[in-house]
Amino acid sequence: MIGVLKGLVQTWKTHWRKPVTVQYPDERLPLQPRYMGFPGLIWDQAIGEPFCTGCQVCMRYCPTQCMYVTMQDNPKQAAGESKRRKIVETFTIDISRCISCAICVEVCNFDAIEMTHAHERAGYYPDVVPDLPQLLKMSEDFRAQRGQKPARETRDVL
Amino acid sequence: MITERRLDTVDMHINVGPQHPATHGVFRMVLRVDGERIVDCVPYIGYLHRGFEKLAENEEFQEVIIHLDRTDYIAQFNNEFCYLMAVEKLLGVKPPERAEYARIILAELNRIVSHLMFYGAFGGDAGAITPFLYAFRERERLQRLFESVSGARLMHFYFRAGGLKEDLPEGFLEEVRRILPVLKQGIDECDTLLTENEVFLSRTVGIGAISAQEAIDYGCTGPILRACGVREDVRRSDPYSLYPTLDFDVPVGKKGDTFDRYLVRVQEMRESIRIVEQCLDRIPEGPFRTPIPRYPHYRVDPGEVYVHTENPRGDYGIYLISRGGVQPFRVKLRSPCFCNLMALPAMLRDAYVADAVMVLGSLDIVLGEVDR
Amino acid sequence: MPASLDATLRLVVLTAFIFNTVLVLVYVERKVLGHIQQRLGPMRTGFHGVLQTPADAIKLLVKEDLTPTTADRWVFRLAPFLVFVPVFMMFITLPFTRELAVRHLDLGIFYLVSFSSLHIVGMIMAGWGSDNKYALLGGVRAAAQLISYELPLAFAILGVVLLAKTLNLQEVVELQATAPFLVLQPLGFLIFLISSLAELSRTPFDIPMAESEVVGGPMIEYSGMRWAMFFLAEYANLFVTSAVAAVVYLGGWLWPFLPPADLAGGWAAHLVGLAWFMAKTFALILAIIWLRGTLPRLRIDQLMGFAWKLLIPFSFLNLFITAAAAVYGGFLLLLGWVATGGFAYAIYAVSRRRP
């Protein structure tokens, strides 16, 4: 009976404390800087093309095989603007299968892919397979959020 | 003139699970009951089998880690710890001291997280709704820490062969130092809510008891075995990493019943806090990973190794065979939950239906690990 | 006004009152439990979630009403109503204030006690009719529990009847003008509270509905309207039981500040009386919710043991003391306090005992 009374006192005290929960859609807890959402592709500001060369290493190491990448000859290289001989042609990630493990980031030889903070993808018609422009946009938004320089030209080129 | 008439009754079979609030996942047990008494119990497992061991054979050593996160999905750091010690043994590298301490800090914090999860779910099994929320309030503090370290709240994928993925974030150690007293207070609050509560005691003391010999025969490890009074803890009996240098006690129970299992876990949370405090004082600056050639696609020399660690749920072992190359030849998991679960029918002798729920809760099974 | 019209009007008002009270109670429970657990509870529907329970009620009404194919159809369909109707009937003689009641029955307490045990029938029917083993287990648990706790409940309230020498609830309240029966019948009050917790199947006695064991017990197969009926009955029962405790032991609309002389007529007096009654009832309800936020549940055998080994003997003792006091003089009622101490010690001793 003593223990029951102690428990009652405990719940009584807790009742007057401030709630620890947040009202989710209205307020959000801040994400940690390292938070891993879904991956996005980084834009090379200096040249004006993605860092990604379409080498498919991420595709091979992806544990859920959720990526699809193709490669093409880089037109800018022919024009002498870029050193990259090959460049990504298409890049899709099925984020309904992506497990946000960041293996793609780890194996990438060009540091072309990064984990963004995008994670709220629920909706009635969720866009679950972002393509290359959308992936670039994800990274762009992410960098804009974090105060890094956004890649404004993304939309114009691709 | 009185004739005695025997009332013939038929035992009833009750199917508990795979979808049932008390099975903590997708476990199923078929109880044969005589009224409220359990006559027999048959556990069925395998609903969450994802073929981790087979998957691991087709992936690089580095990639296997993500599957380890998904075996015991409440104690991810502990699983990664065990697997990477096996890989490091085969590779012949030693992680730097900073990484070792960071691993121990994270693994012990993860033990607290896991035991808090147990505490909440166990309270729910007993019919109290508040312990669950209390436990999650405390758990959330640690989950936020984990998020700041690894970027994920659940599947961390943070430990690497030779050390860590990246260094601990700035201010992490100070944050841990700040949170530990709060956590201690939170655990005390959880303690007052259940441990002394007579209703809870009447539901747990003496329920589902097995003897130490029986527990050993079933291959029980971890809190289940320690509750029987056997002071068996891999961190002490087969020390690994830097545990021999750390000062902590191994709490044991007396009777091996449901309550002792609960109490052992609550005490272990306090011991884990002690370990973390010591690590915080000692953790040096320095590199966080020993360089390995061709990382992350490192080659591992042929050989086989068995490493076991003390997970929150018991003796978690990994048997790793390499035939050379970048992929393991075989990864075999010694799952503590699986062995603990096998003792369930023995624990349920002469129990009530309500006890079945409590005993199952006290085993603290994680089906991801039982079924792999 | 013809008597039939008058009765109909009163019943309509009463029905509306019950529905609204249930909505309020559900909201209060969710809010209080939320804050006990350091969260906010419903927040999104209306100001601080006040419209959450009406929204839930509408949702339940429009949901499909499923009947399992193997169910015993009529038993299954009838059960929710057999649970609700007795609870509804209990409201009829409940005196909110001196004037405000559907009917002042001279056999009020007898009527209440008899109807309070009737919803067991509905529970058993639901348990049996669902053709579900969890439901069956829950139904049988409900039967055992509710019948066992009916006895201490009735015996506890019998003490008050002995003192008041009437079964009319209105007169019982009038007799408490100087002091509520809580002072004269502390043991009876305790036993009444504990056994009404069990009658209500509330924590720590929510064994028939135990979510982690029999997953809702008799209600497991119900959905939509019929499930809402169970819900309605449960919360209406919570209200009416607390109200009975308030009326019988805490002085209903009278105690503590309102001298009966002031009460004669006048709307203001009525309203103050009603406020007192509601305050007492809700205090009891909040205490019950508080208990729910704190305690785990007992096991069925411990529950039965508690009823037969502790509550029933002590309710007999209470009855004896009261009877002796009625015959030999009121000073003997002091023994009731001694017995309460004994009761508290007995619970303490039982709770200390370990297998």
Side-chain angles (χ1 to χ4, degrees):
Chain A
M1 201 166 64
I2 307 295
V4 171
L5 294 178
K6 276 186 188 170
L8 284 172
V9 172
Q10 181 61 52
T11 41
W12 176 263
K13 278 194 283 187
T14 318
H15 179 268
W16 300 108
R17 277 192 219 154
K18 210 168 159 285
V20 288
T21 49
V22 294
Q23 293 305 104
Y24 164 62
D26 303 330
E27 39 178 334
R28 289 173 161 82
L29 289 173
L31 292 173
Q32 302 290 347
R34 282 185 185 179
Y35 180 78
M36 296 192 295
F38 293 115
L41 291 174
I42 308 175
W43 185 253
D44 188 349
Q45 296 282 343
I47 304 175
E49 62 184 14
F51 277 110
C52 179
T53 59
C55 70
Q56 297 186 335
V57 65
C58 47
M59 190 174 136
R60 267 185 286 134
Y61 284 103
C62 179
T64 56
Q65 284 118 45
C66 67
M67 298 173 155
Y68 183 72
V69 192
T70 54
M71 178 193 268
Q72 64 177 358
D73 289 331
N74 191 358
K76 286 199 173 172
Q77 203 251 348
E81 291 170 24
S82 167
K83 279 184 183 169
R84 294 187 183 85
R85 279 194 290 133
K86 300 283 182 183
I87 195 88
V88 59
E89 186 188 17
T90 60
F91 199 118
T92 56
I93 298 178
D94 185 349
I95 61 171
S96 63
R97 291 170 68 182
C98 176
I99 56 173
S100 300
C101 63
I103 280 185
C104 44
V105 178
E106 202 155 304
V107 296
C108 184
N109 296 316
F110 304 97
D111 288 343
I113 193 165
E114 69 179 352
M115 303 308 276
T116 67
H117 284 184
H119 62 285
E120 290 164 317
R121 285 306 178 104
Y124 284 106
Y125 301 99
D127 185 11
V128 291
V129 190
D131 55 4
L132 183 56
Q134 282 167 317
L135 286 168
L136 288 164
K137 175 86 172 24
M138 273 162 74
S139 171
E140 178 195 3
D141 293 346
F142 170 55
R143 284 171 177 244
Q145 260 175 22
R146 298 188 61 182
Q148 292 171 356
K149 203 175 162 217
R152 291 199 190 287
E153 305 85 21
T154 317
R155 279 300 157 102
D156 310 337
V157 181
L158 289 159
Chain B
M1 278 287 116
I2 302 165
T3 52
E4 195 179 315
R5 276 205 324 202
R6 237 180 74 241
L7 188 64
D8 282 319
T9 55
V10 184
D11 289 348
M12 189 164 72
H13 286 264
I14 299 183
N15 181 40
V16 181
Q19 271 123 29
H20 186 281
T23 54
H24 302 268
V26 283
F27 173 68
R28 175 180 168 221
M29 58 181 171
V30 176
L31 303 174
R32 206 172 94 213
V33 294
D34 177 13
E36 286 270 351
R37 286 267 180 181
I38 295 173
V39 180
D40 194 15
C41 160
V42 185
Y44 290 90
I45 58 169
Y47 288 93
L48 204 57
H49 178 64
R50 293 149 301 172
F52 146 70
E53 287 167 5
K54 188 68 194 166
L55 277 174
E57 291 169 20
N58 300 313
E59 285 175 353
E60 290 191 2
F61 283 97
Q62 181 91 320
E63 281 175 277
V64 174
I65 306 173
I66 65 158
H67 296 300
L68 265 302
D69 284 340
R70 284 159 178 77
T71 56
D72 183 349
Y73 44 74
I74 300 175
Q76 305 90 342
F77 281 129
N78 299 63
N79 309 341
E80 293 180 14
F81 199 173
C82 180
Y83 171 73
L84 286 166
M85 282 203 311
V87 174
E88 280 159 7
K89 243 183 199 173
L90 281 181
L91 276 171
V93 296
K94 242 184 95 62
E97 208 176 340
R98 184 175 171 82
E100 289 272 30
Y101 276 118
R103 283 180 181 186
I104 292 177
I105 290 174
L106 289 170
E108 291 303 325
L109 288 180
N110 211 332
R111 191 185 307 277
I112 299 173
V113 164
S114 167
H115 284 345
L116 278 173
M117 179 85 202
F118 158 79
Y119 169 87
F122 196 50
D125 287 339
I129 33 181
T130 308
F132 195 80
L133 276 297
Y134 274 32
F136 266 64
R137 183 186 70 204
E138 303 308 321
R139 204 169 174 262
E140 181 58 30
R141 304 184 210 281
L142 294 175
Q143 288 287 9
R144 237 171 268 173
L145 273 182
F146 290 165
E147 190 190 328
S148 78
V149 170
S150 69
R153 290 170 59 87
L154 197 60
M155 303 301 170
H156 301 306
F157 190 38
Y158 183 61
F159 295 173
R160 295 291 189 275
L164 308 169
K165 177 185 173 191
E166 48 194 328
D167 202 359
L168 293 171
E170 207 140 304
F172 171 76
L173 298 172
E174 290 71 41
E175 189 65 13
V176 177
R177 227 182 264 281
R178 190 185 67 75
I179 276 178
L180 282 183
V182 187
L183 199 63
K184 262 186 213 164
Q185 200 202 340
I187 292 171
D188 287 345
E189 274 175 23
C190 293
D191 217 9
T192 44
L193 203 56
L194 279 191
T195 310
E196 292 170 53
N197 191 317
E198 281 83 2
V199 180
F200 178 74
L201 287 174
S202 67
R203 286 297 305 279
T204 49
V205 176
I207 306 298
I210 52 170
S211 67
Q213 189 55 47
E214 225 172 344
I216 293 169
D217 290 349
Y218 274 111
C220 295
T221 46
I224 316 291
L225 184 58
R226 286 197 285 277
C228 300
V230 183
R231 207 173 287 271
E232 160 67 33
D233 186 317
V234 183
R235 291 174 293 177
R236 278 274 178 264
S237 60
D238 186 9
Y240 54 91
S241 191
L242 297 173
Y243 277 110
T245 64
L246 294 164
D247 174 36
F248 64 96
D249 295 330
V250 179
V252 291
K254 286 194 189 90
K255 286 187 275 185
D257 58 2
T258 311
F259 181 68
D260 279 355
R261 279 171 227 146
Y262 161 84
L263 206 59
V264 163
R265 289 195 178 96
V266 171
Q267 287 165 352
E268 263 178 35
M269 285 198 261
R270 302 215 168 93
E271 292 303 320
S272 289
I273 289 180
R274 259 179 77 193
I275 296 175
V276 173
E277 277 169 349
Q278 293 169 42
C279 290
L280 286 177
D281 292 337
R282 294 191 204 167
I283 184 166
E285 290 295 320
F288 59 88
R289 190 168 66 213
T290 311
I292 298 172
R294 298 181 50 142
Y295 179 88
H297 312 294
Y298 42 82
R299 289 178 173 278
V300 175
D301 295 331
E304 48 191 84
V305 62
Y306 178 75
V307 171
H308 61 156
T309 57
E310 184 66 28
N311 257 37
R313 265 156 275 281
D315 185 342
Y316 188 91
I318 287 205
Y319 184 54
L320 185 65
I321 307 179
S322 166
R323 294 256 169 114
V326 292
Q327 290 176 341
F329 178 74
R330 177 92 171 97
V331 181
K332 170 77 179 83
L333 189 67
R334 192 262 175 211
S335 155
C337 280
F338 178 78
C339 301
N340 292 346
L341 190 57
M342 291 308 116
L344 183 67
M347 290 173 183
L348 286 183
R349 275 181 304 235
D350 293 332
Y352 286 87
V353 174
D355 292 338
V357 172
M358 295 299 284
V359 170
L360 184 64
S362 77
L363 289 178
D364 191 20
I365 50 168
V366 170
L367 269 300
E369 185 199 303
V370 175
D371 299 338
R372 263 102 81 202
Chain C
M1 206 186 307
S4 60
L5 184 65
D6 179 59
T8 317
L9 209 65
R10 280 167 188 250
L11 282 179
V12 168
V13 171
L14 179 65
T15 314
F17 173 78
I18 293 176
F19 277 89
N20 286 312
T21 314
V22 169
L23 290 183
V24 170
L25 280 185
V26 175
Y27 175 73
V28 166
E29 168 147 47
R30 291 177 67 174
K31 270 293 186 196
V32 172
L33 278 184
H35 281 279
I36 279 179
Q37 296 158 358
Q38 271 196 289
R39 54 194 179 85
L40 287 161
M43 282 295 280
R44 299 198 62 77
T45 326
F47 175 73
H48 278 248
V50 282
L51 294 177
Q52 186 63 50
T53 39
D56 282 347
I58 293 168
K59 180 207 74 176
L60 282 174
L61 290 185
V62 299
K63 255 176 106 171
E64 189 185 354
D65 177 27
L66 288 169
T67 310
T69 40
T70 51
D72 199 336
R73 285 191 108 75
W74 285 107
V75 176
F76 181 82
R77 288 187 183 166
L78 213 58
F81 302 99
L82 282 186
V83 173
F84 179 68
V85 168
V87 177
F88 180 81
M89 297 298 274
M90 283 168 78
F91 273 90
I92 285 179
T93 189
L94 190 67
F96 290 81
T97 67
R98 177 175 291 160
E99 313 292 328
L100 201 61
V102 178
R103 275 284 180 275
H104 289 300
L105 298 177
D106 276 340
L107 281 175
I109 289 177
F110 179 72
Y111 175 88
L112 274 178
V113 170
S114 48
F115 267 106
S116 76
S117 52
L118 265 187
H119 72 285
I120 303 167
V121 179
M123 285 295 200
I124 300 172
M125 280 170 70
W128 175 257
S130 302
D131 190 30
N132 180 312
K133 285 167 183 172
Y134 291 127
L136 181 60
L137 213 55
V140 175
R141 281 177 176 192
Q145 171 175 341
L146 300 188
I147 290 172
S148 307
Y149 278 84
E150 198 57 42
L151 291 170
L153 187 101
F155 280 121
I157 216 164
L158 217 53
V160 173
V161 174
L162 274 183
L163 284 183
K165 299 190 175 63
T166 172
L167 287 166
N168 189 330
L169 279 168
Q170 198 189 6
E171 289 167 23
V172 168
V173 178
E174 296 295 349
L175 283 168
Q176 301 180 51
T178 43
F181 277 130
L182 169 64
V183 182
L184 307 176
Q185 290 279 313
L187 184 57
F189 179 66
L190 270 181
I191 291 174
F192 182 85
L193 266 196
I194 293 173
S195 40
S196 57
L197 266 183
E199 282 287 301
L200 294 167
S201 303
R202 303 274 309 183
T203 316
F205 306 119
D206 57 341
I207 295 165
M209 281 88 165
E211 268 157 52
S212 60
E213 296 153 28
V214 289
V215 214
M219 289 117 95
I220 188 168
E221 292 284 4
Y222 286 91
S223 62
M225 254 303 281
R226 281 170 221 277
W227 192 80
M229 292 296 280
F230 275 113
F231 215 61
L232 202 64
E234 194 183 324
Y235 281 88
N237 205 353
L238 174 63
F239 181 85
V240 78
T241 311
S242 307
V244 169
V247 164
V248 174
Y249 287 102
L250 301 179
W253 64 85
L254 275 185
W255 190 73
F257 296 135
L258 211 62
D262 297 359
L263 243 184
W267 279 102
H270 256 305
L271 281 180
V272 175
L274 191 62
W276 269 126
F277 169 81
M278 282 300 198
K280 286 168 190 171
T281 309
F282 267 84
L284 285 173
I285 289 172
L286 286 174
I288 290 174
I289 295 174
W290 181 22
L291 278 177
R292 182 176 176 203
T294 311
L295 294 182
R297 85 172 66 83
L298 285 162
R299 209 173 53 203
I300 185 79
D301 61 318
Q302 294 160 348
L303 173 98
M304 301 298 277
F306 189 62
W308 290 97
K309 293 177 189 161
L310 218 74
L311 285 185
I312 291 181
F314 271 95
S315 62
F316 273 133
L317 180 64
N318 182 47
L319 199 60
F320 268 124
I321 291 172
T322 318
V327 176
Y328 297 111
F331 65 92
L332 280 173
L333 282 173
L334 285 174
L335 278 176
W337 284 95
V338 181
T340 312
F343 181 62
Y345 180 74
I347 292 185
Y348 173 73
V350 165
S351 69
R352 296 281 296 177
R353 210 180 53 205
R354 297 278 160 266

